[in-house]
């Protein structure tokens, strides 16, 4: 095939394998604990409302959203949206996802610094994700000297994507640890149930770690391409 002459393509394959392994693991763990009903019998929506109230947050509403794994907290409209699988389910997995999203709402209410930094990085990370590879490709196609400028610009923009994903890590880990603690503190889960929920949230967090690893491999590929171009 056309692409295979480029040996750095192996990095793309490794990155894809890491991402696939992480998402397979979270799917496996989630479906396992989606079948374990909590003793309290509270649904994801009920758990979210209780945690928010317990934290004194009254301006965030809990709504249902269609789709699979579409759960998220929207800081602009102050709405916590839970997917069909989470909203009405009382499994230890569902209340875990709900509590994680509450973690984000609490971060927002308390002005958690990594969340603010992450929010500020969104536009530049989007720009980087859209423009970095086209710039590098243009750089490879045009004449050597001006081409290097495009390649470097592409690499710098891609660094913004990596930075965004790195800042996402503390935001996600912190949301899970807050959520987990509040599930037991507010009486939604017993300790042994929370241990099961922790497995689900840890598997979910690993997908963010996998994204960082995949992006670092892509960055390495860009640097290798730039270096071989310099040598030619
Ligand atoms: Zn999250």
């Amino acid at each position: 095939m056309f692409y295979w002459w480029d040996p750095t393509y192996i990095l793309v394959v490794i990155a894809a394998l890491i991402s696939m392994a992480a998402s397979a693991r979270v799917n496996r763990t989630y479906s396992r604990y989606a079948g374990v009903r909590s003793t309290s019998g509270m649904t994801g929506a009920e758990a979210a409302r209780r945690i928010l109230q317990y934290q004194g947050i009254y301006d965030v509403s809990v709504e249902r959203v269609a789709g699979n794994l579409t759960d998220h907290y929207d800081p602009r409209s102050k709405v916590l949206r839970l997917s069909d699988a989470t909203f009405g389910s009382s499994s230890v997995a569902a209340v875990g996802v709900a509590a994680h999203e509450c973690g984000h709402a609490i971060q927002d209410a308390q002005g958690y610094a990594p969340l603010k930094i992450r929010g500020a990085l969104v536009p530049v990370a989007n720009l980087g994700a859209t423009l970095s590879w086209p710039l590098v490709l243009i750089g490879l196609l045009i004449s050597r000297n001006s081409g290097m400028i495009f390649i470097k610009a592409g690499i710098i923009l891609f660094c913004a994507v990596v930075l965004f994903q790195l800042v996402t890590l503390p935001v996600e880990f912190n949301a899970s640890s807050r959520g987990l603690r509040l599930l037991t503190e507010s009486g939604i889960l017993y300790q042994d149930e929370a241990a099961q929920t922790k497995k689900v949230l840890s598997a979910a967090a690993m997908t963010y770690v996998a994204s960082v690893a995949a992006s670092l491999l892509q960055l390495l590929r860009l640097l290798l391409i730039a270096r071989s171009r310099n040598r030619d």
Side-chain angles (χ1 to χ4, degrees):
M1 286 297 288
F2 175 72
Y3 280 113
W4 289 96
W5 60 267
D6 174 10
T8 66
Y9 197 77
I10 187 75
L11 296 172
V12 178
V13 176
I14 295 170
L17 288 175
I18 291 172
S19 300
M20 278 163 60
S23 73
R25 182 159 167 255
V26 71
N27 284 335
R28 209 168 48 233
T29 315
Y30 187 90
S31 52
R32 180 170 170 203
Y33 292 107
V36 180
R37 197 174 178 276
S38 71
T39 311
S40 74
M42 288 184 92
T43 64
E46 287 165 349
R49 288 187 184 115
R50 180 184 282 199
I51 289 172
L52 292 173
Q53 216 165 43
Y54 181 75
Q55 285 293 288
I57 296 172
Y58 300 103
D59 59 345
V60 172
S61 55
V62 178
E63 290 175 5
R64 190 177 195 136
V65 66
N68 188 26
L69 296 174
T70 44
D71 307 80
H72 66 279
Y73 167 66
D74 179 354
R76 263 173 291 181
S77 52
K78 303 240 179 259
V79 178
L80 200 153
R81 297 195 181 91
L82 299 176
S83 66
D84 295 330
T86 311
F87 193 92
S89 163
S90 52
S91 73
V92 294
V95 293
V97 172
H100 170 92
E101 298 308 331
C102 288
H104 287 310
I106 297 161
Q107 288 172 341
D108 182 33
Q110 296 182 352
Y112 180 64
L115 185 75
K116 282 186 178 170
I117 298 169
R118 185 178 180 270
L121 284 172
V122 168
V124 61
N126 282 339
L127 198 71
T130 325
L131 287 180
S132 57
W133 276 100
L135 281 172
V136 171
L137 289 177
I138 291 168
L140 289 173
L141 289 172
I142 63 177
S143 72
R144 185 144 308 158
N145 289 335
S146 41
M148 245 358 244
I149 297 168
F150 280 90
I151 293 172
K152 279 180 183 161
I155 290 174
I156 290 166
L157 274 175
F158 194 79
C159 287
V161 178
V162 176
L163 187 66
F164 175 79
Q165 290 180 330
L166 279 173
V167 178
T168 298
L169 293 182
V171 175
E172 293 303 327
F173 278 90
N174 175 270
S176 284
S177 63
R178 283 176 198 258
L180 210 56
R181 183 171 50 79
L182 289 164
L183 279 173
T184 48
E185 256 180 40
S186 63
I188 298 166
L189 290 185
Y190 288 110
Q191 287 293 348
D192 57 331
E193 294 174 318
Q196 297 176 316
T197 302
K198 189 179 183 180
K199 285 181 188 167
V200 176
L201 295 181
S202 301
M206 283 314 288
T207 62
Y208 292 98
V209 177
S211 297
V212 170
S215 293
L216 285 173
L217 287 170
Q218 274 209 60
L219 180 63
L220 176 63
R221 183 177 185 224
L222 285 172
L223 291 170
L224 289 172
I225 289 172
R227 199 180 66 166
S228 67
R229 164 84 174 187
N230 244 347
R231 272 209 205 122
D232 288 343

